[in-house]
Amino acid sequence: MMNLEHAKRKNEHLSLAEKFYDAAHQAHPFDQVRLIPNALPEMATTEFNPQVQINGLTLQWPFYFEAMTGGSEQAKTVNMALARVANKTGIAMATGSLSPMFKLPQFNDSFQVVRNANPTGTIIANLGANVTVKQARQAIDLLQADALEIHLNVAQEAAMAEGDRNFHWRANIQQLVEELPVPVIVKEVGFGMSRATIQQLMSLGVKTINLSGRGGTNFVQIENRRNHVADFSDLTNWGLTTPESLLEAAGLDQVTLLASGGVTGPLDVIKAGVLGAQAVGVAGYFLHRYYQDGEEGLLKAVQTWQTEVTRIMTMLGCRHFSDLSQVDFVLDEQLYNYVQQRHLNH
C-alpha cells in the first residue's frame, strides 16, 4: 500500500503543479531586474555560441529542463515527451527524483525512457540528500547519467504529512561529492539559498550549486494541499527568490552557480546569467506548455526560446553566456533594499 501511495503522490505533484501554475507565477521576481541595453553590439546572431561548460559537464544550451517527475505511468508519459523534445533541440534534461526506484522498481521505466528517447543527450539524475553512495551509483547507472543532482527540500518535507523530519545531511553530501564518478550538483527545490548556505556547501567540496529560488513551482503550496492533518498555508511565501539568491552569491569564487525557480521566458534566462548563473533550469513553464499544447507545442516553445536567447545575447553583444557578467543592470527599490540590508557586494 505504501508503494502505491508513493506513485499516487507523484501523480498528485504533476496535477497540482499544473493547477497552481498561474497562482505561483502571479509575482514575477525577475521583473525586479532591468538590463542596460547596448545599441552598438558589433555582433551577428551567428556569432553567439550557446554551449556552456559546467565543471566537466557540457550543455549545448544555457537553459535546460529542470527536474520534474518520474515514478508512475503518468510520469512516464511526461518524461517520454520531455526527452524527445530534449533530443530534438539539444537541451539537457534533469529527471525528477529517482527515489521511487528503491521502492517501486516496476516504475523504473518511467525514468529509463529519458535515456532511451535521448541516447546521446546530457541527462542529470536526481536524488535526495540522504541517499547512500550505493543508491546514487544505481541511479546514475540506470540512466547512464552525466551528472547527479542532490536536492534540498526541507520546506517541502516539513509541509508534507508523510515527509522526513531528519535533516542531518552535510556529512552525507560531502561523501557523495567525494565518491561519485560524475559531477554532483546540489540544488534547492524552490526556496532559495542564503550566502551562508552556499558557503557551507562549498566547504563540503560542492562545486556546482543550483540556487532554485521562490517564484515558480511552490512545493509548500502543493504539499499543503495534499496535507489533511495540518495547515501550513502561512509558509506559502517562504524562502528567497531566485534573484535574491543569486545576489546572495555575489563575489563568491570557486563555485559554479545554476539558477531555477520562476523562469518563465528567455529574458529571465538572460537576467539570471547577468546575476551570475552559468546555466538556467526551467520546469514549471515547460510542464505547463506540455499540458496546454502537447509535445509539439512544447517543442515549438523550446525552439522559440533558443531563437530569442540567441537574439537577446546578440542585442547585448555577448558571444558566450559567461559574457553576461559584464552586462550592466539596475534593481528595483525592493530588491535594492534587500541587497542593502543583507550587505551584499553586487
Side-chain angles (χ1 to χ4, degrees):
M1 179 64 68
M2 180 62 70
N3 287 350
L4 293 178
E5 285 297 317
H6 197 96
K8 178 183 176 183
R9 174 163 36 120
K10 296 300 178 180
N11 290 338
E12 288 176 341
H13 283 172
L14 283 171
S15 62
L16 290 173
E18 173 63 10
K19 178 181 178 64
F20 292 139
Y21 178 81
D22 289 332
H25 292 84
Q26 283 181 352
H28 194 213
F30 283 99
D31 286 346
Q32 296 178 306
V33 182
R34 292 178 58 196
L35 304 185
I36 306 303
N38 181 355
L40 287 172
E42 287 299 304
M43 181 180 165
T45 55
T46 54
E47 296 174 68
F48 171 57
N49 181 355
Q51 190 177 92
V52 295
Q53 302 289 334
I54 302 172
N55 292 329
L57 193 65
T58 299
L59 306 186
Q60 298 304 318
W61 283 88
F63 68 92
Y64 60 95
F65 286 150
E66 188 50 273
M68 296 189 213
T69 192
S72 71
E73 283 300 318
Q74 181 182 348
K76 178 181 176 180
T77 301
V78 174
N79 274 342
M80 175 71 81
L82 292 168
R84 283 195 291 241
V85 170
N87 184 55
K88 291 175 182 177
T89 58
I91 68 171
M93 176 177 174
T95 71
S97 173
L98 281 114
S99 59
M101 69 179 284
F102 310 116
K103 303 174 183 178
L104 300 163
Q106 66 268 36
F107 291 124
N108 281 4
D109 61 347
S110 71
F111 297 102
Q112 288 171 307
V113 294
V114 173
R115 177 54 77 192
N116 294 339
N118 192 8
T120 61
T122 299
I123 304 298
I124 303 170
N126 175 9
L127 284 170
N130 61 347
V131 297
T132 66
V133 171
K134 179 180 178 181
Q135 288 173 322
R137 288 181 180 272
Q138 290 173 337
I140 292 165
D141 290 344
L142 184 72
L143 292 180
Q144 302 171 48
D146 302 283
L148 177 67
E149 196 169 62
I150 297 296
H151 63 259
L152 310 180
N153 64 336
V154 177
Q156 179 188 10
E157 296 288 347
M160 190 189 306
E162 71 275 34
D164 291 337
R165 302 294 183 257
N166 183 349
F167 308 118
H168 290 283
W169 290 340
R170 294 185 199 175
N172 197 57
I173 290 172
Q174 184 171 11
Q175 185 178 16
L176 292 168
V177 170
E178 291 174 351
E179 298 189 24
L180 291 178
V182 297
V184 174
I185 302 165
V186 177
K187 75 174 290 280
E188 242 289 350
V189 300
F191 304 99
M193 287 192 195
S194 69
R195 190 177 188 86
T197 297
I198 297 165
Q199 291 173 321
Q200 288 169 356
L201 289 171
M202 292 172 64
S203 74
L204 300 177
V206 178
K207 298 184 182 301
T208 309
I209 298 173
N210 184 339
L211 303 168
S212 196
R214 175 169 55 84
T217 303
N218 188 326
F219 279 102
V220 163
Q221 186 181 37
I222 288 172
E223 297 300 347
N224 192 54
R225 178 63 177 265
R226 296 182 59 250
N227 191 335
H228 303 295
V229 178
D231 181 7
F232 288 85
S233 57
D234 57 328
L235 297 180
T236 298
N237 292 321
W238 181 263
L240 305 180
T241 67
T242 303
E244 287 170 347
S245 299
L246 285 166
L247 290 165
E248 288 276 339
L252 294 179
D253 298 324
Q254 300 179 330
V255 63
T256 297
L257 299 176
L258 309 181
S260 57
V263 178
T264 59
L267 184 57
D268 293 346
V269 173
I270 303 299
K271 289 180 177 180
V274 170
L275 294 182
Q278 296 184 35
V280 179
V282 188
Y285 176 85
F286 286 132
L287 182 64
H288 182 62
R289 286 275 61 83
Y290 169 71
Y291 276 129
Q292 294 295 308
D293 305 321
E295 186 176 327
E296 284 303 310
L298 174 63
L299 174 62
K300 182 178 179 180
V302 172
Q303 291 171 334
T304 298
W305 279 44
Q306 290 174 321
T307 298
E308 189 171 339
V309 163
T310 299
R311 294 183 186 178
I312 297 173
M313 291 293 294
T314 305
M315 289 161 59
L316 293 170
C318 295
R319 289 168 173 77
H320 300 89
F321 199 68
S322 58
D323 295 341
L324 288 172
S325 61
Q326 305 304 312
V327 173
D328 290 330
F329 63 92
V330 294
L331 308 178
D332 78 355
E333 184 177 4
Q334 181 180 353
L335 188 53
Y336 182 71
N337 183 48
Y338 178 89
V339 170
Q340 295 297 105
Q341 290 194 49
R342 290 286 292 153
H343 305 291
L344 302 176
N345 297 329
H346 237 302

